Amino acid sequence: MANIIETYSKLASDYESQNNLESCWGKATKYAVSLLPFREGNEVVVEVGCGPGIQLASMVQAGDKNLQFIGVEPADNLRNNASERVKQFSNAKVLNGKFEELPLESHSVDYLYSLIAFHWVTDVEKAVAELDRVLKKDGEMDIIFSGRHTGKEFIGKTTPIYFKHLSPRQIMDAALSRQRLTIENCEDAFTPLFGSRNLTVSESYHTFYDTLEGHWSWWCRIEGQFSSVPKETKAECDRAIKEAIATLETENGIPYTIHLLHVKVRR
Ligand SMILES: C[S@@+](CC[C@H](N)C(=O)[O-])C[C@H]1O[C@@H](n2cnc3c(N)ncnc32)[C@H](O)[C@@H]1O
């Protein structure tokens, strides 16, 4: 969705703040990275939705120097930051593109991975077809992203407040700005093109605890409803949302559960 990509670009500097890196999303990203296999040899390795290139740069730094790394990122400012981050490495570059239109030759990629980005695709079928097009026939892939059941705790508390400030249509549009796939939806999407390869789709749930401020630092970035709240009532809506989220407080902090889907293709 264009406005999602624009929002990511606008908030590029916040993306690298300690708050964000230590948030539940930063922790989920670290977990996702731990699932990626070590690569070596003369391979083309691609990260789609590489954001500011933090993971890409550490993969390049730690990886075999024969690997050729390509980051793909649609948000201008994040892509510029990613390019800056990897410019010292001759075996890495960052390109403008997105899942639905990958700037890559057909059957040119040995290994493709993506961390917490696939839920932003606007057209799942087109994105899966692009992945199939660019991956070599014996290529491998890990796509790890947020599923349907992410954030159940917050949704229950905040939806009634959004209903006070927004029309049902606006709420619906905001909800549709992000894919909310179940594991079954994910299997249905990938099996037609990847079913003949060694495909597995799995899911996991991760509950992270944080302070109200910690959660607030990313909540306003990813929740589509936020940008639709009229300016006149924004302050009142923010106050009510914060108050609602605060009621979730436990002795460990405020919980937020991330539902992760993992699409894995192996030789
Ligand atoms: C939560 S960030 C993750 C960034 C990076 N993978 C990381 O782990 O730090 C989501 C990223 O997906 C990108 N994105 C949004 N829509 C996309 C699309 N249709 N195709 C590819 N990337 C997209 C955003 O611009 C953003 O960089």
Side-chain angles (χ1 to χ4, degrees):
M1 208 143 279
N3 70 339
I4 294 293
I5 293 170
E6 277 160 27
T7 305
Y8 266 110
S9 192
K10 208 167 69 192
L11 299 177
S13 53
D14 295 359
Y15 197 91
E16 301 194 37
S17 70
Q18 255 344 81
N19 260 352
N20 191 40
L21 300 177
E22 285 165 12
S23 74
C24 52
W25 290 105
K27 289 179 182 143
T29 303
K30 279 196 191 133
Y31 169 76
V33 169
S34 76
L35 303 176
L36 304 181
F38 181 74
R39 310 301 304 183
E40 56 189 342
N42 220 343
E43 291 194 333
V44 173
V45 175
V46 171
E47 177 177 353
V48 183
C50 69
I54 298 171
Q55 317 308 331
L56 181 69
S58 44
M59 298 278 276
V60 180
Q61 201 151 23
D64 185 328
K65 299 297 167 255
N66 292 316
L67 295 168
Q68 293 297 320
F69 286 90
I70 303 174
V72 175
E73 170 55 46
D76 293 345
N77 293 334
L78 286 175
R79 188 175 60 256
N80 292 342
N81 292 351
S83 295
E84 190 61 29
R85 200 164 243 123
V86 299
K87 72 174 185 205
Q88 55 184 306
F89 305 108
S90 59
N91 62 334
K93 62 180 173 185
V94 180
L95 302 176
N96 185 10
K98 52 187 179 174
F99 277 108
E100 301 87 332
E101 262 179 81
L102 291 171
L104 302 164
E105 298 283 322
S106 297
H107 312 302
S108 61
V109 179
D110 295 279
Y111 177 60
L112 186 149
Y113 70 99
S114 179
L115 307 164
I116 326 286
F118 191 80
H119 47 278
W120 294 123
V121 301
T122 50
D123 184 334
V124 174
E125 204 179 326
K126 199 167 170 195
V128 174
E130 275 295 84
L131 291 169
D132 177 55
R133 180 183 68 75
V134 302
L135 208 61
K136 287 185 179 171
K137 287 295 167 210
D138 62 349
E140 301 193 327
M141 184 170 90
D142 287 284
I143 309 281
I144 303 165
F145 64 104
S146 170
R148 162 89 59 95
H149 308 301
T150 287
K152 281 180 303 207
E153 302 94 338
F154 281 26
I155 292 167
K157 292 283 178 188
T158 59
T159 303
I161 300 166
Y162 285 123
F163 268 107
K164 267 197 207 161
H165 294 270
L166 299 171
S167 67
R169 177 63 204 247
Q170 283 175 306
I171 301 224
M172 181 69 91
D173 285 350
L176 292 175
S177 69
R178 152 153 72 103
Q179 296 292 337
R180 291 166 199 269
L181 302 186
T182 62
I183 187 168
E184 291 80 14
N185 299 151
C186 205
E187 283 162 350
D188 290 349
F190 280 87
T191 304
L193 292 179
F194 286 93
S196 59
R197 307 193 199 199
N198 183 5
L199 167 76
T200 52
V201 181
S202 57
E203 65 186 337
S204 56
Y205 290 86
H206 308 263
T207 300
F208 299 101
Y209 292 84
D210 204 344
T211 59
L212 181 59
E213 292 69 32
H215 282 307
W216 194 252
S217 67
W218 57 262
W219 170 257
C220 56
R221 176 166 48 82
I222 68 158
E223 274 310 307
Q225 291 92 325
F226 245 84
S227 49
S228 322
V229 176
K231 274 200 191 94
E232 314 80 75
T233 55
K234 179 94 175 77
E236 166 53 20
C237 181
D238 284 3
R239 189 203 57 72
I241 294 279
K242 281 186 178 175
E243 199 177 278
I245 295 176
T247 64
L248 292 164
E249 185 78 51
T250 69
E251 59 183 15
N252 297 320
I254 299 174
Y256 187 85
T257 299
I258 296 181
H259 172 211
L260 281 186
L261 290 169
H262 183 181
V263 176
K264 181 155 103 175
V265 175
R266 291 291 180 268
R267 293 197 170 105

